[in-house]
């Protein structure tokens, strides 16, 4: 069931991402940073606290950001959010990316959130395969890998306290929510057992068994958690921090508002706010979260380090932070002699950041271009400045792509900027840069990660410069991610991570090609990046029964920076599906078959992903009526391009079109997903859409969401009342009943059978109406295992001379994924015409 999803989600992600170019500039924080004095004061206090918390939930946005901010910036604990998935299976309110590309966006949103609340971020390899009602299905689909990765996280971080977001008894609703609690509960014991996942205890990245002190549940009121002292520990997440100038609930709002792809902008709350943590396993706490845990430096034999850091805290002056540098260096020297442990390794990183910020040291490694290819020359620049009277010397640098280190011996006088340029060559066979979990195809609903040392990391930047500083005689090595810096005329100075990409980019115009009959279609391949005088050929690899004309096309690199090549692809006469692969081979032996996808939003860093140059081929018997379709985008989907694939002309309707435009010329108008939720103008002008129906038009509304908290009469979308609910069918191959087999939506112009519901991806549908006026007909129904049929997923009514249709079935996933039956049913909806028996 759900394992089939991953074979299709990549196609869906490519399809939707290729449709809209996002031109907004990144405002996200990737640039080099020096701590302010107030942040330094918090960081110095945190150096003295050796206690840690691991917070476990299922998805981006599940985390309690108020509690994370309180723990990290208030209790000063090392705090990590372990999200079991990257949120790959959700919806996207800000663009068209779905599947693993949405997971990439949500990964970066989580990192931005953690930058604000002060916690760290980790993941497992499990993939969010969409909403499920079953914890058993979830654990079966994820297999042992999800538990192994939670165990690895515990063994790696060695938390004293583990907090799970969900109660583990089904009250979390989503099966993956409950599964995250089941995993946390089992991993609490398994992490301490050397017989469980013993492979983690040897080889690269080896970890040791670890027994956390206690397991708690974040007992939220809406899960029916206990709210008295007898239930567990209560903490005030609304407490105010003078150093931050905010309460932790105010910090939380800024963190939570980073979840923009889910529309989770939040307002800050002020005032006391009790958060109950219920005991579940381990030692019961009475007086505080860390009862029975030694959170001092004594836990690693570092009492002397603790005494020095206490002196630093009491003598720190915000206007002269450099005065604590000698004591910090003394503490650092003693820390280095303590031996290697989770705490000493973590605290040396924290201490170095504090030390360099106290000196006002700023360092940067940038490239002159955002990316390069193997064999290319990259101009690099190192920049540094020391803004204090402390003696700082830059003595060496090791650059990306080079083995030898540069000996420099550069003193950094107070507030005098230094920079040096270097020219390096990207060696042959240098691996391209890619989000590490996307380097290989997934195994069902689990990402494959060859390098076990990367498992759990939010991201991995392999391209770094490493500079050596000598601060008052003490040597410190500082890793610097290689960045590209540019100046935007509106936003000013911006950064993104430098990448290595293939020299030749091979991009298909569409990720899905649908053939409604046996006529050939032109498939265009865009080739860019080839050096002048490059010789080679472009070809298509096709499944059996398909053919291309011509077979190969010469590559003409002298024609410009890019070349568009077209092939006439001939489908078989019968229904068929398969995969097309575009490839460029050069006379020098090079083979290229990938394309670059760039994701750019203002709130996260620019992301680059390399995708196979593939397209799904679909040959489906399909008749259609009508020609011109008006489309009203809502939250963002790729349905318009899917309709163009089968010959419709699609016009995207603007706000002005909805307010005052002439709608009479459209054969049908389709409202995109969540159009009523995302664009107020749609609901405000719904009367005009219904007038279009009454005059003879066909209007199709796709799913909209409804709040659990909303009371009162339903919002009127259609000509007659219906109530949108939270009912859904989450199993993608759940049975579908044809309740009215002779209904026009099931007969005209295509006869719909049970076979048309084969091969659907992720889900049947969501937010089905559960009440509707008798003037609607419901021709089909579906249900998840063990549940009654839900007939509200497709409603049809004639109104005046036209037809109104509302559907919760997930055509926004099925059409871009090239599901043949979904095309046939949607075309019937577009082709619907009133019989003259309506109101």
């Amino acid at each position: 069931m759900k394992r089939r999803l991953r074979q299709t989600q990549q196609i869906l992600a490519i399809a939707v991402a290729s449709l809209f170019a996002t031109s907004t500039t990144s405002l996200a924080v990737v640039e080099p940073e020096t701590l302010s004095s107030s942040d330094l004061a918090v960081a110095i206090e945190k150096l003295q606290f050796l206690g840690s918390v691991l917070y476990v939930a299922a998805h981006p946005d599940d985390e309690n950001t108020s509690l994370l901010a309180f723990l990290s910036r208030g209790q000063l604990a090392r705090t990590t959010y372990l999200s079991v998935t990257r949120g790959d299976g959700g919806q996207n309110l800000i663009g068209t990316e779905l599947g693993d590309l949405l997971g990439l966006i949500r990964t970066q949103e989580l990192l931005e959130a953690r930058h604000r609340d002060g916690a760290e971020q980790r993941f497992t390899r499990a993939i969010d395969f969409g909403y499920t009602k079953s914890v058993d299905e979830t654990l079966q689909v994820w297999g042992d890998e999800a538990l192994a990765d939670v165990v690895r996280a515990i063994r790696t971080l060695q938390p004293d306290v583990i907090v799970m977001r969900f109660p583990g008894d089904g009250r979390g609703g989503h099966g993956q929510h409950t599964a995250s609690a089941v995993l946390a509960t089992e991993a609490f014991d398994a992490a301490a057992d050397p017989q469980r996942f013993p492979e983690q205890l040897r080889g690269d990245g080896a970890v040791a068994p670890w027994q956390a002190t206690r397991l708690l549940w974040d007992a939220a009121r809406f899960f029916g958690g206990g709210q008295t002292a007898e239930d567990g520990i209560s903490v005030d997440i609304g407490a105010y921090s003078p150093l931050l100038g905010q309460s932790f609930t105010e910090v939380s709002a800024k963190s939570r508002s980073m979840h923009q792809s889910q529309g989770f902008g939040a307002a800050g709350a002020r005032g006391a706010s009790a958060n109950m943590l219920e005991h579940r396993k381990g030692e019961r706490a009475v007086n505080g979260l860390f009862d029975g845990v030694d959170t001092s430096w004594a836990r690693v034999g570092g009492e002397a380090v603790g005494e020095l850091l206490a002196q630093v805290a009491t003598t720190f002056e915000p206007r002269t932070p450099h005065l604590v540098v000698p004591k910090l260096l003394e503490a650092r020297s003693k820390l280095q002699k303590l031996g290697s442990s989770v705490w000493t390794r973590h605290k040396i990183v924290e201490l170095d950041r504090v030390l360099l910020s106290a000196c006002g040291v700023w360092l940067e490694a940038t490239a002159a271009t955002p990316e390069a290819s193997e064999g290319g020359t990259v101009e690099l620049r190192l920049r540094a400045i020391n803004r204090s009277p402390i003696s700082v010397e830059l003595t060496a640098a090791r650059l990306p792509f080079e083995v030898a280190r540069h000996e420099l011996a550069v003193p950094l006088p107070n507030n005098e900027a230094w920079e040096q340029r270097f020219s390096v060559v990207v060696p042959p066979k240098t691996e391209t840069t890619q989000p590490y979990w996307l380097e290989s195809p997934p195994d069902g609903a689990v990402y494959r990660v060859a390098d076990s040392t990367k498992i759990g990391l939010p991201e991995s930047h392999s391209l770094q410069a490493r500079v050596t500083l000598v601060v008052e005689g003490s040597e410190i090595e500082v890793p610097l991610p290689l960045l590209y810096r540019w100046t935007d005329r509106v936003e000013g100075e911006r950064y993104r991570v430098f990448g290595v990409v293939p020299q030749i980019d091979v991009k298909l115009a569409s990720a899905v090609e649908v053939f409604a009959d046996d006529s050939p279609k032109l498939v265009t391949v865009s080739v860019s990046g080839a050096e002048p005088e490059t010789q080679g050929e472009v070809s298509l690899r096709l499944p059996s029964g398909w053919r291309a004309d011509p077979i190969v096309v010469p590559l003409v690199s002298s024609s410009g920076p890019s070349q568009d090549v077209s092939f006439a692809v001939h489908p078989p006469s019968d229904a068929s599906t398969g995969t097309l692969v575009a490839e460029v081979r050069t006379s020098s032996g090079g083979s290229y078959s990938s394309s670059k996808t760039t994701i750019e939003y203002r709130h996260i860093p620019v992301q680059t992903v390399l995708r196979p140059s593939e397209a799904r081929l679909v040959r489906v018997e399909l008749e259609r009526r009508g020609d011109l379709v008006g489309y009203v985008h809502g939250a963002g989907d790729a349905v318009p391009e899917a309709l163009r694939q089968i010959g419709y002309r699609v016009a995207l309707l603007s706000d002005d079109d909805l307010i005052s435009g002439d709608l009479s010329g459209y054969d049908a108008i389709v409202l995109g997903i969540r159009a009523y939720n995302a664009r107020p103008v749609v609901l405000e002008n719904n009367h005009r859409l219904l007038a279009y129906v009454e005059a003879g038009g066909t209007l199709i509304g796709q799913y909209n969401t409804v709040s659990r908290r909303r009371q009162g009469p339903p919002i009127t979308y259609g000509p007659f009342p219906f109530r949108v609910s939270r009912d859904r069918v989450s199993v993608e191959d759940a049975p579908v009943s044809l309740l009215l087999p002779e209904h026009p939506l099931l007969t005209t112009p295509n006869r719909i059978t049970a076979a048309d519901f084969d091969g659907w991806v992720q889900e049947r549908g969501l937010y089905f109406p559960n009440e509707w006026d008798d003037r609607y007909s419901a021709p089909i129904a579906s249900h998840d295992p063990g549940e009654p049929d839900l007939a509200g997923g497709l409603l049809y009514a004639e109104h005046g001379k036209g037809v109104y249709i509302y559907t919760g079935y997930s055509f926004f996933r099925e059409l871009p994924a090239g599901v043949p039956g979904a095309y046939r049913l949607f075309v019937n909806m577009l082709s619907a015409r009133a019989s003259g028996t309506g109101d």
Side-chain angles (χ1 to χ4, degrees), residues 678-698:
R679 293 176 64 180
V681 69
V682 181
L683 191 58
E684 292 166 2
N685 291 276
N686 199 49
H687 63 283
R688 296 194 74 241
L689 293 170
L690 295 179
Y692 158 80
V693 173
E694 192 171 16
T698 298

Side-chain angles (χ1 to χ4, degrees), residues 1-2 4-5 9 12 89-91 98 128-132 137 174 673 703 727-734 736 757 759-768 782 784 808-814 819 822:
M1 295 192 301
K2 296 293 182 183
R4 187 180 68 233
L5 164 68
Q9 267 201 336
L12 180 59
Q91 286 84 49
L98 293 175
D128 175 6
F129 53 80
Y131 187 88
T132 174
E137 180 196 28
H174 197 318
I673 60 171
Y703 92 90
D727 291 349
R728 63 202 302 162
V729 180
S730 63
V731 178
E732 69 272 27
D733 52 8
V736 177
F757 297 95
W760 284 46
V761 299
Q762 184 158 323
E763 63 200 352
R764 284 296 187 204
L766 61 171
Y767 295 100
F768 287 5
S782 185
D784 278 326
Y809 283 91
S810 60
F811 291 102
F812 73 102
R813 294 192 191 277
E814 314 309 322
V819 177

Side-chain angles (χ1 to χ4, degrees), residues 46 53-55 63-74 76-82 109-122 157 251 255 346 350 353 458:
K46 193 163 187 169
V53 178
L54 179 65
Y55 192 96
E63 75 273 25
N64 181 344
T65 51
S66 295
L67 182 59
L68 293 182
F70 169 80
L71 293 170
S72 177
R73 296 189 181 273
L76 305 176
R78 183 184 187 186
T79 305
T80 304
Y81 174 40
L82 174 62
E109 289 179 336
L110 278 174
L111 291 174
E112 291 300 314
R114 299 295 80 79
H115 182 79
R116 287 153 178 80
D117 60 37
E120 301 173 36
Q121 183 64 50
R122 290 186 77 91
L157 299 168
V251 173
S255 171
H346 179 68
E350 282 190 348
R353 188 184 187 205

Side-chain angles (χ1 to χ4, degrees), residues 676-726:
Y676 289 116
N677 302 141
R679 293 176 64 180
V681 69
V682 181
L683 191 58
E684 292 166 2
N685 291 276
N686 199 49
H687 63 283
R688 296 194 74 241
L689 293 170
L690 295 179
Y692 158 80
V693 173
E694 192 171 16
T698 298
L699 178 64
I700 301 172
Q702 297 182 82
Y703 92 90
N704 288 269
T705 61
V706 60
S707 170
R708 290 187 179 94
R709 299 177 177 86
R710 190 180 186 279
Q711 303 293 326
I715 298 172
T716 301
Y717 294 147
F720 318 115
F722 62 85
R723 183 184 294 273
V724 175
S725 74
R726 302 185 68 84

Side-chain angles (χ1 to χ4, degrees), residues 524-592:
T524 301
V525 182
S526 295
V527 180
S528 59
E531 295 288 337
E533 310 308 322
T534 298
Q535 296 183 352
E537 60 185 28
V538 187
S539 63
L540 300 181
R541 295 203 303 269
L542 297 166
S544 176
W546 299 71
R547 64 182 179 87
D549 183 22
I551 299 175
V552 297
V553 175
L555 176 65
V556 185
S557 59
S558 60
S559 63
S562 65
Q563 177 184 356
D564 287 345
V565 176
S566 294
F567 298 83
V569 174
H570 298 258
S573 57
D574 298 325
S576 174
T577 60
T579 301
L580 172 155
V581 179
E583 183 178 25
V584 171
R585 290 185 177 273
T586 64
S587 57
S588 61
S591 176
Y592 303 90

Side-chain angles (χ1 to χ4, degrees), residues 604-688:
I604 61 174
V606 176
Q607 301 294 302
T608 299
V609 185
L610 299 175
R611 319 290 301 196
S613 304
E614 298 177 352
R616 175 171 165 82
L617 297 175
V618 179
R619 167 71 175 94
V620 56
E621 287 296 334
L622 188 67
E623 295 183 32
R624 66 178 179 85
R625 295 177 181 174
D627 175 53
L628 180 61
V629 175
Y631 201 88
V632 180
H633 265 306
D637 58 66
V639 172
E641 176 59 24
L643 299 182
R644 294 185 181 109
Q645 279 285 326
I646 52 176
Y648 283 103
R649 293 185 298 131
V650 181
L652 301 181
L653 301 186
S654 67
D655 288 357
D656 288 342
D657 292 327
L658 294 173
I659 294 169
S660 59
D662 181 5
L663 305 179
S664 62
Y666 298 103
D667 297 305
I669 293 176
V670 181
L671 305 181
I673 60 171
R674 301 175 74 166
Y676 289 116
N677 302 141
R679 293 176 64 180
V681 69
V682 181
L683 191 58
E684 292 166 2
N685 291 276
N686 199 49
H687 63 283
R688 296 194 74 241

Side-chain angles (χ1 to χ4, degrees), residues 34-112:
T34 301
L35 297 177
S36 67
S37 282
S38 60
D39 288 334
L40 259 178
V42 175
I44 290 170
E45 295 287 345
K46 193 163 187 169
L47 281 174
Q48 302 173 75
F49 191 88
L50 278 68
S52 62
V53 178
L54 179 65
Y55 192 96
V56 182
H59 309 108
D61 86 358
D62 286 345
E63 75 273 25
N64 181 344
T65 51
S66 295
L67 182 59
L68 293 182
F70 169 80
L71 293 170
S72 177
R73 296 189 181 273
Q75 288 253 291
L76 305 176
R78 183 184 187 186
T79 305
T80 304
Y81 174 40
L82 174 62
S83 178
V84 176
T85 76
R86 296 176 185 264
D88 333 63
Q91 286 84 49
N92 184 356
L93 279 182
I94 60 175
T96 60
E97 296 87 357
L98 293 175
D100 50 14
L101 293 185
L102 178 58
L104 180 58
I105 291 173
R106 292 189 174 178
T107 294
Q108 293 301 317
E109 289 179 336
L110 278 174
L111 291 174
E112 291 300 314

